[in-house]
Amino acid sequence: QRTPTRVTVRLVCQNRVRLRQTSPLNDLMAFVHGSISARKEFTLRSDATRGRLVKGRGPLMAKMMASTASPGKRAELKAELLTLISKVERGSIATERDQMEIDRAACRLEKINPNKDTLACPLINGQWRLVYTTSESILGKSKPAAFRPSGPIYQYIDTSKMLALNRETAPFFNQVRAELTSTSNTGVDVQFTLFKIFGLIPVKAPGTAKGKLDTSYVDEEMRISRGDKGNLFVLLQEQPGCLL
């Protein structure tokens, strides 16, 4: 008698977050910085009568999961993530445990990302409001409370021109522009070009002012991105299609 097919799936997502302080000028750069070491793999055990082990790739499994995830499931996971975020003031009062819980919630959404080619997806363009980050420099954790960002922080993405703009509001209204170079379906190299202190005083960015950004989830409401220095960013769409 033929032995029924047995399928074993193993997913591993390991995140290491390394935070560091930067100079005031680099505070604006930190928005696209972060570091993630992630590994996703799965194994499929084939029919026992053939006795073969077939190894697959993480992205393939992710596509399978995303294709079967309903909009209702995504809405449920987004609500769960935003509930956790609502307790930590954009991340400024997040404990290590809070960061771990939020990271796990973000991972659950990343696994069912409905738009895998995020750079080609028109939903990525527009004005996004930062609602959570692990970046200490953006949050200004090392500064007196009066010098920390108190107003909304925005990021604009325009893939038609491969440009980005990060904009703080109160109290200092700093800005930084950047040019983007695609490195994959989801990732870009970021070359900062121009800072504006108080939104008025232009300062040319040095050639060393660069980073990387990977957009691991995007839909019409939410974007999740991870940088090359260990930081997680969660943003909400406010002006879809707003171009630079």
Side-chain angles (χ1 to χ4, degrees):
Q1 182 178 2
R2 183 182 178 86
T3 303
T5 301
R6 181 160 60 106
V7 179
T8 303
V9 176
R10 182 164 63 93
L11 285 174
V12 180
C13 182
Q14 295 176 335
N15 299 308
R16 291 196 307 249
V17 178
R18 182 173 66 252
L19 301 174
R20 68 179 185 180
Q21 295 181 355
T22 62
S23 67
L25 182 62
N26 287 338
D27 285 357
L28 292 172
M29 296 165 52
F31 197 28
V32 293
H33 279 199
S35 158
I36 179 169
S37 173
R39 181 166 54 93
K40 298 179 182 179
E41 61 178 340
F42 71 93
T43 59
L44 299 181
R45 189 174 300 279
S46 65
D47 193 304
T49 58
R50 290 184 294 172
R52 292 187 302 173
L53 181 67
V54 180
K55 294 184 178 179
R57 295 177 179 265
L60 175 60
M61 174 56 79
K63 288 182 179 180
M64 293 168 60
M65 294 177 67
S67 65
T68 59
S70 67
K73 181 62 175 178
R74 290 196 294 270
E76 176 186 335
L77 293 180
K78 284 190 290 185
E80 175 186 329
L81 176 58
L82 291 175
T83 297
L84 293 171
I85 286 173
S86 68
K87 303 173 183 179
V88 297
E89 297 181 6
R90 201 160 53 195
S92 61
I93 61 171
T95 64
E96 185 175 346
R97 180 175 179 178
D98 291 330
Q99 289 182 345
M100 292 176 63
E101 289 179 348
I102 291 170
D103 196 272
R104 284 196 293 264
C107 274
R108 287 192 285 272
L109 268 172
E110 289 168 327
K111 291 174 184 176
I112 59 170
N113 179 15
N115 300 292
K116 293 302 174 184
D117 296 337
T118 52
L119 288 183
C121 179
L123 296 176
I124 197 172
N125 294 311
Q127 174 183 292
W128 297 87
R129 177 169 54 91
L130 181 69
V131 294
Y132 174 79
T133 183
T134 55
S135 170
E136 288 191 341
S137 57
I138 283 184
L139 297 171
K141 284 189 174 183
S142 62
K143 301 175 182 178
F147 294 95
R148 298 173 187 172
S150 56
I153 299 175
Y154 298 103
Q155 184 175 71
Y156 301 79
I157 299 290
D158 183 351
T159 55
S160 69
K161 300 176 183 175
M162 293 302 284
L163 296 174
L165 171 70
N166 298 337
R167 179 171 68 87
E168 295 180 357
T169 55
F172 297 117
F173 298 89
N174 294 322
Q175 298 180 19
V176 61
R177 285 184 171 269
E179 296 177 351
L180 309 177
T181 302
S182 174
T183 57
S184 69
N185 290 343
T186 61
V188 291
D189 285 337
V190 182
Q191 178 63 63
F192 297 97
T193 57
L194 183 69
F195 295 96
K196 279 194 175 181
I197 310 303
F198 305 118
L200 298 171
I201 305 170
V203 178
K204 185 178 180 181
T208 55
K210 57 180 64 178
K212 296 179 182 293
L213 189 71
D214 186 82
T215 297
S216 48
Y217 180 93
V218 68
D219 66 16
E220 66 280 358
E221 299 174 330
M222 179 179 288
R223 176 162 63 88
I224 300 173
S225 296
R226 296 182 183 268
D228 63 328
K229 294 288 188 297
N231 292 316
L232 169 66
F233 305 93
V234 180
L235 307 96
L236 296 180
Q237 178 66 272
E238 294 212 334
Q239 292 188 32
C242 176
L243 303 178
L244 296 174

